[in-house]
Amino acid sequence: MTEAATSLSGGQGAAETREADAAAPPPAAGAVSGGGAQIAAADGSADKGAAGTGDAGSADVTGEFSWPEDWRERHARSIAGKDDAAYEKALGRLKRFASPDNVVRSLFEADAKIRSGAFKRSLPDNPSDAELAQFRKEMGVPENADGYDFSKVEGLSETDGDVLKAFRPVFHGENLTPGQAEKLVGAYKAYEKAAIEQRRTFAIEKTAENRATIRAEFGREYDQNRHLAMQWMDGVIGADKRNAIAELTLADGTKLADHPDFIRLTVQAARAVADDGTLAAAELGAGSGKSLDEQYREALDLGRTDPKAYAHPDHQAKLIRLIKAREKRSAA
């Protein structure tokens, strides 16, 4: 060895020290090096951790934890014990998760939702008064049926009071919140409004159809027959009751006075008892409701108030028919 080399290495002793270090084996896994000394666990636990053969899982040198492949089966059996049915149920639930980390994460998320109030307790069967009161408090259900307010529902009127009075205990018995009850009442009123409009439209169309049917059936005698029917009803029950009966609303929304069968019935009854004068009055003054004598006096008075209209051939022809009708009535 040259002098320069010996000088650079610190002498022969330093060189021998380097050779000894090079020949020594590397530190065992799990040993800690510090200050030139090597310290290993006396019980060999570091070796077991490095091998990764522990039943409960192991951690590598990066801090990551590994679980045995049968972690689901082990935990399911730990939960269920010797109950095979419970084991299968627990195992089925654990199979929903890809790893134990996901199980823990799901637990944390569920706990956060419960604390936030997102989850509400369910009402048990046959709850006690205390359980029912607590459930209603948590859900926001009023303490009693009078706690529901429907003042904001569109279309409500005083006539709905009895309906709402019947609804409230039902809503409370079903533990509905005020918002849910309000939506149901709103839906009911919307349906009712649509049904009323549909019924009204149908009644208008049906009334027009009924009137067209009876007009086509009576032809030129339509006005005369209607006059006879009204005159007959006035004589039997009086004008007020006749109007009240005629205005009765049927199930389809039409009026009784416009129903073809009702008109046929009253016309037939009127004609069965009408004398010639009544028939003549109805024919000559169809729609006016005036008697034969009243029409005759008006026809004569026209000669004083309007001589030109009185002299018109149409008026003279009507006057002649009135005179003949009065004579026919007198002769009877």
Side-chain angles (χ1 to χ4, degrees), residues 5-270:
T6 302
S7 174
L8 291 172
S9 63
Q12 183 175 0
E16 290 173 356
T17 300
R18 287 194 300 271
E19 291 176 359
D21 290 343
V32 181
S33 176
Q38 295 176 350
I39 304 174
D43 60 358
S45 60
D47 291 338
K48 292 181 181 180
T53 59
D55 289 344
S58 60
D60 60 23
V61 294
T62 64
E64 295 181 354
F65 198 82
S66 62
W67 291 83
E69 293 184 0
D70 62 345
W71 66 269
R72 297 180 183 84
E73 288 78 2
R74 293 189 181 197
H75 282 285
R77 182 54 70 185
S78 175
I79 294 170
K82 297 181 179 180
D83 188 339
D84 291 338
Y87 167 79
E88 292 296 335
K89 184 176 180 179
L91 181 60
R93 296 192 65 179
L94 289 173
K95 285 182 177 180
R96 302 175 186 174
F97 301 94
S99 70
D101 290 345
N102 289 341
V103 177
V104 176
R105 187 177 295 109
S106 175
L107 175 64
F108 287 167
E109 291 174 354
D111 181 68
K113 287 184 178 180
I114 292 173
R115 293 176 180 274
S116 68
F119 288 148
K120 303 290 186 181
R121 73 169 67 189
S122 59
L123 188 65
D125 294 335
N126 301 318
S128 65
D129 292 343
E131 289 174 329
L132 182 59
Q134 181 62 27
F135 174 80
R136 286 173 171 171
K137 181 178 180 180
E138 292 181 1
M139 296 298 294
V141 178
E143 293 183 1
N144 53 63
D146 293 332
Y148 293 105
D149 179 18
F150 305 117
S151 59
K152 295 181 180 179
V153 177
E154 184 179 355
L156 285 179
S157 63
E158 293 182 0
T159 58
D160 293 308
D162 291 340
V163 175
L164 297 180
K165 186 177 180 181
F167 279 170
R168 282 189 170 91
V170 176
F171 293 159
H172 196 247
E174 294 298 324
N175 296 314
L176 298 187
T177 65
Q180 292 170 332
E182 186 176 349
K183 287 182 179 179
L184 284 177
V185 173
Y188 163 75
K189 290 303 296 183
Y191 168 80
E192 183 184 55
K193 180 180 179 181
I196 291 174
E197 181 61 26
Q198 183 179 16
R199 186 168 180 261
R200 188 184 71 86
T201 300
F202 175 84
I204 292 174
E205 294 174 352
K206 187 64 176 177
T207 297
E209 178 185 332
N210 287 343
R211 291 176 179 178
T213 296
I214 208 68
R215 278 185 177 275
E217 182 176 324
F218 288 161
R220 295 175 59 184
E221 296 181 347
Y222 174 80
D223 290 334
Q224 177 188 8
N225 286 338
R226 292 300 297 266
H227 174 70
L228 281 171
M230 287 189 296
Q231 194 174 33
W232 172 75
M233 291 186 68
D234 289 348
V236 175
I237 58 176
D240 292 340
K241 290 183 179 179
R242 184 253 299 171
N243 288 331
I245 291 176
E247 287 299 310
L248 288 176
T249 302
L250 303 178
D252 60 1
T254 60
K255 301 296 183 181
L256 179 61
D258 290 311
H259 197 286
D261 288 340
F262 177 76
I263 296 173
R264 294 185 186 104
L265 175 65
T266 54
V267 168
Q268 183 177 1

